[in-house]
Amino acid sequence: YQNCSKIPIVGEIAAGIPTVVNREYENYLQIPNEWIYSTERTFALEVTGNSMNGIWIERGDAVIVHQQDNAINGDIIVAIINGEATIKRYMTMGDSILLLSENNDFEPIQMKEEDIAINGKVIGVMKLCGDI
């Protein structure tokens, strides 16, 4: 497709630390170039949970992620905690970080900054039909 880029679907959001460094992936998404900052630093993850369904990020969706290690208040990020990845809203509170769900069934996660790693910022969501 013209004016589109092929980005890898690197796994599920709960499957660990996603990377896009020199790997061959089985599944890809074609997305318009204007949706992404950099094809080399953009990847997709399949959502497996429902903690963000209040903002229409639901199980089975693909989130489009720009790989970066920083965030500002309000960003939706991929956070790595104890080797597991999760999508949450990022907020600072004093010298702590709050990771907020968009589902009232989930409590906020309060962490020290050094106890989490930011793997990327969610820049889009694609509603998918069937398995990817």
Side-chain angles (χ1 to χ4, degrees):
Y1 298 96
Q2 290 183 339
N3 301 318
C4 285
S5 293
K6 191 166 101 169
I7 64 165
I9 302 170
V10 300
E12 297 176 339
I13 188 59
I17 302 173
T19 63
V20 289
V21 180
N22 296 323
R23 290 208 178 154
E24 289 298 318
Y25 295 99
E26 190 173 309
N27 295 308
Y28 291 84
L29 290 176
Q30 290 273 1
I31 61 173
N33 289 334
E34 60 266 15
W35 290 11
I36 59 178
Y37 306 130
S38 161
T39 54
E40 296 81 28
R41 298 180 60 105
T42 303
F43 59 92
L45 292 165
E46 182 181 1
V47 177
T48 60
N50 62 356
S51 68
M52 300 301 284
N53 63 5
I55 56 171
W56 304 104
I57 298 176
E58 299 170 316
R59 188 177 318 224
D61 293 346
V63 289
I64 311 303
V65 180
H66 175 71
Q67 190 173 30
Q68 62 187 58
D69 61 4
N70 58 7
I72 60 172
N73 282 344
D75 282 350
I76 306 300
I77 64 164
V78 174
I80 310 301
I81 305 168
N82 297 322
E84 294 200 11
T86 185
I87 298 174
K88 296 287 184 266
R89 185 174 302 278
Y90 176 89
M91 296 295 290
T92 57
M93 185 178 77
D95 61 351
S96 295
I97 303 296
L98 281 180
L99 299 176
L100 305 171
S101 298
E102 295 290 341
N103 179 332
N104 291 334
D105 292 339
F106 294 84
E107 294 290 324
I109 301 169
Q110 185 173 350
M111 307 280 302
K112 293 181 180 176
E113 186 174 357
E114 60 267 19
D115 293 334
I116 70 165
I118 298 170
N119 192 247
K121 176 182 173 180
V122 174
I123 58 172
V125 179
M126 292 188 74
K127 302 292 182 182
L128 301 176
C129 299
D131 294 331
I132 52 178

